[in-house]
Amino acid sequence: NSSSGLTEAKLKELTEGDIYNAIQLLDLSATEEENEDQKDETGRLTNALNRHRIKSGGPRHIQQIASILGHLRALDLIPKKVSHFTKLRSPEFLAKEKINEDGLNTKTTIIEMGAGRGMLGLVCASAAAYSWGNTMVSENQQKPELAHKELDIEPALNIDPPKVELVLVERAGTRAKAETKIRTAIKVAISDAKNESSNHFCSVTRDQYIKNQRHRECLALDRVAVTRIKCDLAHVDMYAALPFVVSSAGSLSKSDHSENDAAQKQKRKTMVVAKHLCGAGTDLALKSLRDLASAGAIDGCVMATCCHGLCSWKEYVGRDRLRSLFCGKVGGLSSFGENDFNMLRRWTSASVLDGDAKQPNRQKSADLKNGNDPSDGNEEHNNDSVEIIGRGPTIFEVAEELGLKCGGRGIGRACQRLIDHGRCHYMEKQLFKRHNQKEFKVTLSHYVDASVTPQNALIAASRIK
């Protein structure tokens, strides 16, 4: 339609690259891997994962996890990364970051939907615990001139922040779970504590404190309290399962409270994460959050979508948005329903095929579609049920018939983004839309390069400040 700014001729000239670059690349993994030791080529987060023997799925998955963690920091859902190898935060820095006494005592809850073993949630929660720990130093201990003087540190008050609460939602049990790593870390921490002075106050220098924290690198697994909810996303009642989250947000649900009163009463920050949440799983997860969102209990959400070919019209949350697009001035259709959506989701699979091959290598496309490299030993997905050929015209035939320069892969990528756009619209206009709370900003970006995983779209939402 000419009113949309793109004529039919211009649409035909769009390349696959034009469609891919319609949303920007925001890979924030590099800052999580920064290493103070220039001689050590292994990233800081990778070193920490190796030391704790955490099975992350290989370098590609570490990069994805690191970028998601970076997005949580960029949205101010967890503190910015601070290095113990340089200096503790100065009062000026704390003021700039708006970290005050109330902020240091904020309870943090991270919910991972479709968690599996829970490695994403484990890394994000332990990284948040580590970062909060770096802020728990009293003001008189942050001055540079005290670097080599003895400091009175009371661990119970000045160093230890509240534990970060990790909630894992997964319908099935699994081995090598996050809980096992946390229990091991706690045992190590208890053993270390027994070897320290039994005095309530211990006399150390600032440099000694920094050195003592070095073994944690960037993860504080012993500062994470984990809860696993074994339930299908289609049936889980998150409002009933997490009463402590709802009660903390109770003051925000009353419109007659002033903003300052709400800020003082709010002592918890709750965020939702997911990585490669398959097909309709993303929609089910968003639906399960409705009551929590209505209570004002969610501060942010970061989800990496996956397997668009396994979405379903029944569960899809963006139906109203797609109807308005396809039946409005842009699309010009008289109707848009389940059959149309099924063709749309089926065509998304073409984005993971090599070239314009009309007969896909099913095993290879299933691995790539799920963001899996067989050599990585990843167990997040085991699913090749997307049917690309056999029901109506293939996407390559459509591209050829219409003379589209982007080809089948370009249309497949566009279909993926349309489905994700509907989800973004639902989150912004319905899920997080409440008359008595600040509006949410929802963005869609590539969180890693397509060479890391072709399923590289990330939906991020947080309150507008």
Side-chain angles (χ1 to χ4, degrees):
N1 190 293
S2 59
S3 63
S4 67
L6 283 174
T7 63
E8 183 176 338
K10 288 182 179 180
L11 284 173
K12 288 184 177 182
E13 290 302 312
L14 288 177
T15 66
E16 180 186 345
D18 292 331
I19 293 173
Y20 179 83
N21 293 321
I23 61 175
Q24 66 180 136
L25 172 63
L26 289 175
D27 185 349
L28 304 182
S29 61
T31 55
E32 301 301 325
E33 290 283 23
E34 286 178 353
N35 204 321
E36 295 291 332
D37 186 356
Q38 300 297 327
K39 297 180 181 179
D40 190 351
E41 296 181 358
T42 307
R44 191 181 185 194
L45 178 60
T46 300
N47 278 333
L49 293 173
N50 291 338
R51 190 178 71 81
H52 288 289
R53 299 181 180 180
I54 295 175
K55 296 179 180 179
S56 57
R60 295 184 183 185
H61 295 282
I62 293 177
Q63 184 173 344
Q64 294 172 58
I65 291 172
S67 185
I68 290 174
L69 176 57
H71 278 269
L72 291 177
R73 296 193 199 276
L75 296 173
D76 288 329
L77 294 173
I78 62 176
K80 299 294 191 296
K81 182 169 68 70
V82 176
S83 173
H84 270 308
F85 300 103
T86 53
K87 61 180 181 179
L88 299 179
R89 292 185 171 186
S90 65
E92 293 77 16
F93 184 87
L94 293 176
K96 181 180 178 182
E97 292 293 309
K98 298 180 181 180
I99 297 175
N100 52 33
E101 185 177 348
D102 289 336
L104 295 177
N105 292 321
T106 298
K107 294 180 180 178
T108 301
T109 301
I110 297 178
I111 305 170
E112 183 179 1
M113 310 298 285
R117 294 185 296 119
M119 294 300 108
L120 171 63
L122 175 65
V123 172
C124 292
S126 56
Y130 177 85
S131 296
W132 278 122
N134 287 341
T135 67
M136 303 300 286
V137 182
S138 61
E139 187 171 319
N140 70 332
Q141 296 163 6
Q142 296 160 355
K143 299 177 181 179
E145 62 268 21
L146 299 179
H148 299 287
K149 294 183 180 180
E150 288 192 351
L151 307 174
D152 287 330
I153 296 178
E154 184 182 6
L157 296 179
N158 294 333
I159 302 301
D160 289 345
K163 280 198 171 186
V164 172
E165 294 163 332
L166 173 60
V167 179
L168 305 174
V169 184
E170 174 60 48
R171 65 182 177 184
T174 181
R175 296 182 179 181
K177 297 182 291 187
E179 294 91 320
T180 304
K181 300 301 178 183
I182 292 173
R183 285 195 295 267
T184 300
I186 291 175
K187 289 179 181 179
V188 172
I190 292 174
S191 176
D192 290 345
K194 289 180 179 179
N195 294 329
E196 294 178 355
S197 172
S198 59
N199 295 332
H200 189 57
F201 287 87
C202 53
S203 183
V204 297
T205 68
R206 177 177 164 172
D207 286 351
Q208 286 173 335
Y209 171 70
I210 294 173
K211 182 179 179 180
N212 291 339
Q213 294 301 310
R214 210 178 262 197
H215 73 280
R216 281 184 168 178
E217 289 162 327
C218 59
L219 304 177
L221 274 71
D222 56 302
R223 299 300 309 166
V224 176
V226 62
T227 300
R228 181 175 287 269
I229 300 175
K230 290 185 179 181
C231 187
D232 194 296
L233 291 175
H235 308 298
V236 65
D237 186 342
M238 297 299 294
Y239 189 91
L242 303 175
F244 56 89
V245 170
V246 178
S247 61
S248 296
S251 61
L252 295 181
S253 63
K254 299 178 181 179
S255 58
D256 56 348
H257 283 283
S258 70
E259 194 170 310
N260 290 334
D261 289 340
Q264 290 181 359
K265 292 182 180 180
Q266 178 66 28
K267 298 292 184 181
R268 183 182 299 276
K269 185 171 286 189
T270 302
M271 64 212 72
V272 180
V273 298
K275 173 174 171 283
H276 291 312
L277 194 51
C278 227
T282 299
D283 303 297
L284 292 171
L286 292 174
K287 287 181 177 180
S288 72
L289 297 173
R290 284 179 296 195
D291 290 340
L292 286 182
S294 179
I298 298 177
D299 297 282
C301 182
V302 177
M303 290 184 171
T305 62
C306 182
C307 304
H308 297 76
L310 295 181
C311 294
S312 73
W313 180 248
K314 178 182 177 182
E315 305 299 346
Y316 181 56
V317 296
R319 288 181 293 182
D320 291 342
R321 180 56 174 170
L322 291 192
R323 284 196 187 104
S324 67
L325 286 175
F326 282 101
C327 299
K329 293 182 179 180
V330 176
L333 299 180
S334 59
S335 64
F336 184 87
E338 183 172 2
N339 290 337
D340 305 293
F341 180 79
N342 285 339
M343 184 172 292
L344 190 74
R345 68 170 181 81
R346 186 160 50 86
W347 283 352
T348 64
S349 303
S351 65
V352 300
L353 302 183
D354 290 330
D356 281 344
K358 295 182 181 180
Q359 296 296 331
N361 181 325
R362 289 187 179 274
Q363 183 58 50
K364 184 172 183 178
S365 64
D367 285 337
L368 291 174
K369 171 177 63 59
N370 294 327
N372 296 344
D373 183 335
S375 62
D376 285 344
N378 177 44
E379 298 176 357
E380 289 182 10
H381 302 267
N382 183 19
N383 175 343
D384 58 355
S385 62
V386 178
E387 187 173 346
I388 304 170
I389 309 294
R391 297 182 182 178
T394 71
I395 194 168
F396 299 102
E397 293 169 344
V398 170
E400 184 176 349
E401 181 180 342
L402 295 178
L404 299 179
K405 197 171 182 179
C406 66
R409 283 174 58 94
I411 298 180
R413 179 68 67 167
C415 291
Q416 286 181 333
R417 298 295 75 82
L418 273 171
I419 291 174
D420 285 337
H421 169 75
R423 290 163 169 166
C424 291
H425 189 270
Y426 167 80
M427 293 169 71
E428 188 172 291
K429 302 300 182 182
Q430 295 185 52
L431 182 62
F432 295 124
K433 187 72 171 179
R434 298 175 66 243
H435 70 280
N436 59 334
Q437 76 173 26
K438 293 182 179 180
E439 290 187 356
F440 270 66
K441 179 181 180 181
V442 183
T443 61
L444 180 63
S445 64
H446 294 131
Y447 71 108
V448 291
D449 188 76
S451 61
V452 179
T453 172
Q455 301 284 0
N456 61 343
L458 186 79
I459 299 174
S462 64
R463 285 195 178 97
I464 299 175
K465 295 185 177 180

